[in-house]
Amino acid sequence: MSKYIFTTGGVCSSLGKGIASASMGALLECRGLKVCMIKIDPYLNVDAGTMSPYQHGEVFVTDDGAETDLDLGNYERFTNSPLSAANSITTGQIYQEVIRRERAGQYLGKCVQVVPHITDEIKRRIYALGEKPDIDVTIVETGGTVGDIESIPYLEAIRQIIHERGKKNTCSVHLTLVPEVSGGEVKTKPTQHSVKAMREIGIQPDVLLCRCKEELEEGFKKKIAQFTNIDFDCVLSAHDVNTTIYEIPASYHAQGFDDVVCEKLDLKTKKADIAPWIKLADQYKKDGTKVTIGMIGKYTKLGDTYKSIDEGIVHGAIKNNVDVELVKIESDELEKGNPEEILKNLDGILIPGGFGERGIIGMTLAAKYARENKIPYFGICLGVQIMVIEYCRNVLGIADADSSEFRPEGANSVIALLEEQVDVIEYGGTMRLGGYDSHLVKGSKIHEAYGADVIRERHRHRYEVANNYKERMTEAGLILSGFSPDGQLVESAEWKDHPWGVGVQFHPEFKSTPLNPGPLFDKFVKAVGDSKNKK
Ligand code: GLN
């Protein structure tokens, strides 16, 4: 039977509960424990698939094709917990299920209520994952801030689980803010109030992670402990780290986080072996070749839109000791004035995923520039489609080559829906989502990067390279280097006689982790560093 850790947040949002929860998972794994990570999002959307990247950041995709909150990406980057649709709980899913049962008459005439029916469904989902035989600790992170109306049923369900499973089997970790006001004075009052709000709903936090700028001094910890009824050694400083978020597990460990949690949960384990995390933080030196990689995308103004790609680049940078500055360029910007003025400062160009017509011209200009000027280029999903469109227009001379996504009546749709999808699209839900195999062509850059004939990566797209143009593309020199197992769908394309120009239809960023960087992030960053060194 699993033990449970419940992570909640106080004072304000965006304190980094996801990274805190992921770091706890990483540390417990370092002690040899098997963890399961669950994210609760108290919104009414059924999943994150329909949410605007402007409002909610990246949509993370699991291997089974669930479109989830980006915190699941943090979990996968820090832990080995296998994630699927079930690990992402939203209010939309809970209500959908309860209402479905009500319509099916399964509540036998009872009045269906938030307590107990909604709270029971929440508990059922948490227990279903925690009860799996090999799980030692289930970490459940509740999004939002204590006091939010939306999260009340979840906190009530958590209170009940703590009561049902008992104090030795459950641990409440509360992440709060300890701000500095003008003059640098440190304030503990918001934290005191936040713990009070938790107690009002019946949960006494066991561990506090205090987000602060500088390491929290002992005096403040004592004061917080006294006013919140929390043991002094359970009040930890979650101060800003200097270099990378991958330092956080080591920082928590140094303060005894995993010791206090294991003691509280009565878990007898080996001592934590955090050597891989320490090594990683040491490797993150800034003395390598300095390069600038430009990400030419559509939603670049918001920090978290391409979260997993940002991290993938960091993973490649750490592995190759290249000092990468990643600049995000709104592709519209390239359409104004002289794009070369912007592009000439870049040592590498990356075009990420995206939907809709806006910004396509700018991305095509960037791909042409990278191809002609032999700048390393990495195209992800939309990025490979742009690569193909640009090649067809400028090398094959098909002036109106386009994707039917952007020009439905286009005579030359080199990127198109599959025949069988054309009718289905009216019903929605036609995206290719989740993990699929790709067969790689020997001798290609992608084959060299993975060192394997068959790979599995995650997808989230609707359109594909059109089969009826494939022959002309290859004749004109575009290398098609990866295919679906039946050979029908193009999974990757490459430029020949180019230092490194690779585009992939899948999203390799979802599987890249700091301890095991995605091969394409590794080789792209390496190519950018190498070509800079040659300049
Ligand atoms: N809009 C493109 C498609 O649906 C690319 C999607 C993406 O980049 N994720 O095929």
Side-chain angles (χ1 to χ4, degrees), residues 501-517:
V502 178
V504 288
Q505 191 58 78
F506 48 79
H507 288 269
E509 69 272 27
F510 294 141
K511 281 174 73 174
S512 182
T513 73
L515 299 174
N516 200 5

Side-chain angles (χ1 to χ4, degrees), residues 17-263:
K17 277 197 300 294
I19 290 172
S21 304
S23 300
M24 295 175 206
L27 271 183
L28 296 179
E29 284 189 348
C30 290
R31 294 181 79 120
L33 295 165
K34 269 232 170 326
V35 301
C36 164
M37 309 287 304
I38 302 179
K39 175 72 196 285
I40 290 174
D41 280 298
Y43 45 65
L44 279 163
N45 304 61
V46 172
D47 63 32
T50 54
M51 289 167 97
S52 156
Y54 280 122
Q55 283 180 25
H56 208 71
E58 169 183 282
V59 175
F60 185 79
V61 180
T62 55
D63 194 73
D64 66 342
E67 296 176 282
T68 73
D69 183 81
L70 54 79
D71 272 329
L72 273 82
N74 287 321
Y75 303 163
E76 285 208 344
R77 285 187 280 277
F78 281 80
T79 75
N80 298 308
S81 158
L83 299 179
S84 68
N87 299 69
S88 170
I89 299 176
T90 68
T91 303
Q93 292 165 18
I94 301 282
Y95 273 79
Q96 202 175 44
E97 176 59 18
V98 170
I99 291 169
R100 187 195 65 74
R101 273 195 228 137
E102 187 274 333
R103 291 289 83 186
Q106 290 178 13
Y107 291 108
L108 307 174
K110 288 201 188 83
C111 172
V112 182
Q113 293 178 299
V114 173
V115 182
H117 302 105
I118 294 294
T119 45
D120 280 354
E121 176 59 15
I122 296 169
K123 287 196 292 178
R124 189 186 68 77
R125 286 183 184 228
I126 295 174
Y127 282 144
L129 286 169
E131 293 323 66
K132 292 218 170 115
D134 51 340
I135 302 295
D136 299 309
V137 182
T138 304
I139 300 177
V140 185
E141 176 193 344
T142 307
T145 309
V146 58
D148 291 349
I149 293 171
E150 286 87 349
S151 50
I152 291 173
Y154 294 102
L155 297 177
E156 169 58 17
I158 290 169
R159 186 196 66 73
Q160 293 182 17
I161 295 178
I162 295 173
H163 181 68
E164 284 164 22
R165 290 296 153 103
K167 293 248 184 287
K168 281 268 167 237
N169 295 314
T170 54
C171 179
S172 158
V173 177
H174 192 56
L175 189 80
T176 73
L177 180 68
V178 180
E180 274 180 31
V181 290
S182 59
E185 214 184 321
V186 173
K187 291 291 174 194
T188 64
K189 191 73 85 191
T191 294
Q192 296 178 38
H193 279 293
S194 182
V195 174
K196 197 169 153 218
M198 288 291 288
R199 292 219 300 256
E200 272 167 15
I201 44 164
I203 304 172
Q204 165 67 52
D206 300 297
V207 179
L208 273 190
L209 290 174
C210 304
R211 292 284 291 113
C212 45
K213 255 175 133 168
E214 306 288 340
E215 182 157 4
L216 200 61
E217 287 169 18
E218 208 178 295
F220 293 115
K221 287 191 187 172
K222 277 196 179 136
K223 187 172 173 189
I224 291 171
Q226 185 180 25
F227 287 109
T228 57
N229 249 351
I230 292 171
D231 292 343
F232 169 74
D233 60 355
C234 294
V235 179
L236 306 186
S237 168
H239 46 275
D240 293 349
V241 286
N242 301 326
T243 52
T244 139
I245 50 168
Y246 304 117
E247 261 186 39
I248 295 174
S251 164
Y252 287 2
H253 174 73
Q255 299 181 64
F257 174 83
D258 46 304
D259 288 338
V260 296
V261 168
C262 286
E263 199 186 309

Side-chain angles (χ1 to χ4, degrees), residues 349 374-379 445-446 448-449 495 497-503 519-525 527-528:
I349 290 177
K374 307 217 182 291
I375 312 279
Y377 172 96
F378 188 9
K445 291 230 163 50
I446 190 169
E448 185 194 329
W495 291 322
D497 304 325
H498 188 280
W500 207 89
V502 178
L520 294 173
F521 287 96
D522 173 5
K523 296 296 182 236
F524 171 58
V525 173
V528 177

Side-chain angles (χ1 to χ4, degrees), residues 301 330-340 342 362 365:
K301 298 229 164 73
E330 197 64 19
S331 60
D332 291 358
E333 293 297 314
L334 297 180
E335 295 167 21
K336 304 172 194 153
N338 182 1
E340 274 197 46
I342 299 176
L365 287 171

